[in-house]
Amino acid sequence: MKFEDFVQQHSVSITYAQWVRFRYVERQLLWERSVTSGMIADTFHVSKQQARKDIAEYSRITHNIHETAPGEKTRAFRPHGSFNPFFLGEDDLVWESTPTIIPPSSPNISPCFVLKRKVPVKALCSIQAAIEGSHLIRSIYASTRNPGGIERNLLPLKIVNAHGRFHLRAVDLDDNDLIKDFVVTRFLSEIRVQPEVIDKGVSDVDWDTLVPIRVVPNPINGSQFEALMERDYLLPKNHIMVRKAMLGYFLSENRLPVEEKADQISSEVHGRIYPLVAYFGNTEIPAYHFGFSGKYNVQDVRRVLEVNSSGVLN
């Protein structure tokens, strides 16, 4: 959103410099969940007195923030439970659907166009408030199975950023309290944060379990290809520790085989589609067996870790 467009849409008398600082405040509140006058002063090279005036004026206009510890030397401000960005437009927070490196401006470099995904700002604000307060949320959610949407009662636990979009990890109270992942953009109605505090003592073992993953060049392609991949990728020398709950996202995000049927295609095609493959620790067990549709659970992870590097699960 441009400053001129904002001024036309809202009857707020502010300068361009204030508008820029207020947008910074809202980004801090949305992502970091806190802002101080010192942050504003350091970022924009203004006096702390001016920064304090900015926070006071922002609060007067939006009623979006409250002071966390009044009277303390360092005054921090957090978003209200009803926080919703006022100075940021929906097009200010779009995320590219794949990771990209934006090169410096150069007549010799032409970046490829990348599709962008929407960021459901209002939904994210409500979900984060619910997580911080242990509140239930209620909304109509659409899925490939129910594209028209059905009402869901969820207890939010975490928000995962993967594939250029946000996923909510939550307890599904409508399905035996199972922990599931939900795409945040697919909440069709306003997310209603319920007032009661829910204390279920949830134990998310898949989230708490770290899985050691070894990423290597696809051995199908031979030793010369292996050297080529080492030029293309900064392959870690040690295991990558990935939360089991996020392993499926990790594999997909990095173009690694995500399910068993990936190994059922011809060697030539497999090597071309998957230049890299992932294994569990020092074993030859494909990592996808521990992912979303994998056949191994947390107990299996622990069993493999207890055996030697050539251990195999039956």
Side-chain angles (χ1 to χ4, degrees), residues 18-292:
Q18 283 179 305
W19 179 71
V20 172
R21 295 197 294 271
F22 289 164
R23 285 158 61 87
Y24 168 81
V25 167
E26 290 193 331
R27 283 194 171 91
Q28 286 297 120
L29 294 173
L30 177 61
W31 304 121
E32 302 294 335
R33 311 299 287 169
S34 178
V35 68
T36 67
S37 59
M39 293 177 183
I40 300 172
D42 292 343
T43 301
F44 294 98
H45 305 290
V46 297
S47 68
K48 286 194 175 182
Q49 181 181 10
Q50 178 60 56
R52 286 192 289 270
K53 287 182 179 179
D54 286 338
I55 291 178
E57 182 66 3
Y58 175 80
S59 180
R60 185 190 68 79
I61 294 172
T62 67
H63 307 288
N64 263 339
I65 58 177
H66 66 275
E67 193 170 353
T68 57
E72 293 291 331
K73 185 175 181 180
T74 301
R75 302 174 63 190
F77 296 84
R78 289 179 57 80
H80 281 306
S82 59
F83 167 72
N84 189 34
F86 177 70
F87 292 94
L88 290 171
E90 289 187 357
D91 58 342
D92 290 316
L93 293 168
V94 293
W95 284 51
E96 294 177 345
S97 60
T98 55
T100 60
I101 297 175
I102 301 177
S105 177
S106 169
N108 303 317
I109 300 176
S110 297
C112 178
F113 180 82
V114 178
L115 295 175
K116 300 179 184 296
R117 291 189 185 271
K118 292 182 178 180
V119 174
V121 177
K122 190 171 183 180
L124 285 172
C125 293
S126 299
I127 290 170
Q128 291 189 82
I131 292 174
E132 292 164 356
S134 298
H135 296 295
L136 184 76
I137 63 171
R138 188 170 292 145
S139 180
I140 304 297
Y141 181 78
S143 64
T144 53
R145 184 173 299 178
N146 295 291
I150 58 174
E151 186 172 73
R152 309 301 285 262
N153 294 279
L154 308 172
L155 179 62
L157 301 176
K158 300 286 183 181
I159 298 173
V160 175
N161 171 36
H163 308 150
R165 61 184 180 180
F166 291 94
H167 305 256
L168 168 64
R169 189 163 179 80
V171 179
D172 188 347
L173 278 71
D174 299 314
D175 191 6
N176 299 315
D177 288 358
L178 293 177
I179 297 177
K180 302 178 181 178
D181 288 6
F182 301 85
V183 181
V184 176
T185 51
R186 294 181 183 174
F187 287 104
L188 303 183
S189 63
E190 180 180 354
I191 293 179
R192 304 184 302 281
V193 180
Q194 304 305 300
E196 62 269 24
V197 175
I198 305 297
D199 184 14
K200 281 184 167 290
V202 178
S203 177
D204 189 351
V205 292
D206 278 8
W207 183 266
D208 295 334
T209 301
L210 295 177
V211 181
I213 299 300
R214 176 169 53 94
V215 178
V216 297
N218 194 330
I220 288 176
N221 293 318
S223 59
Q224 287 187 329
F225 183 85
E226 179 178 346
L228 186 61
M229 288 301 96
E230 290 177 351
R231 293 179 64 90
D232 283 353
Y233 292 91
L234 291 172
L235 295 177
K237 296 181 180 179
N238 299 318
H239 294 153
I240 305 169
M241 303 304 293
V242 182
R243 294 185 186 276
K244 187 178 185 303
M246 295 182 64
L247 184 52
Y249 297 128
F250 168 81
L251 297 174
S252 178
E253 191 90 353
N254 290 284
R255 291 186 59 202
L256 298 163
V258 297
E259 53 188 347
E260 191 165 7
K261 69 179 182 182
D263 289 339
Q264 298 171 1
I265 58 180
S266 68
S267 297
E268 180 183 355
V269 174
H270 191 282
R272 186 171 64 249
I273 296 177
Y274 301 111
L276 302 175
V277 292
Y279 298 107
F280 180 96
N282 292 323
T283 75
E284 297 302 314
I285 304 173
Y288 56 69
H289 281 312
F290 300 88
F292 292 144

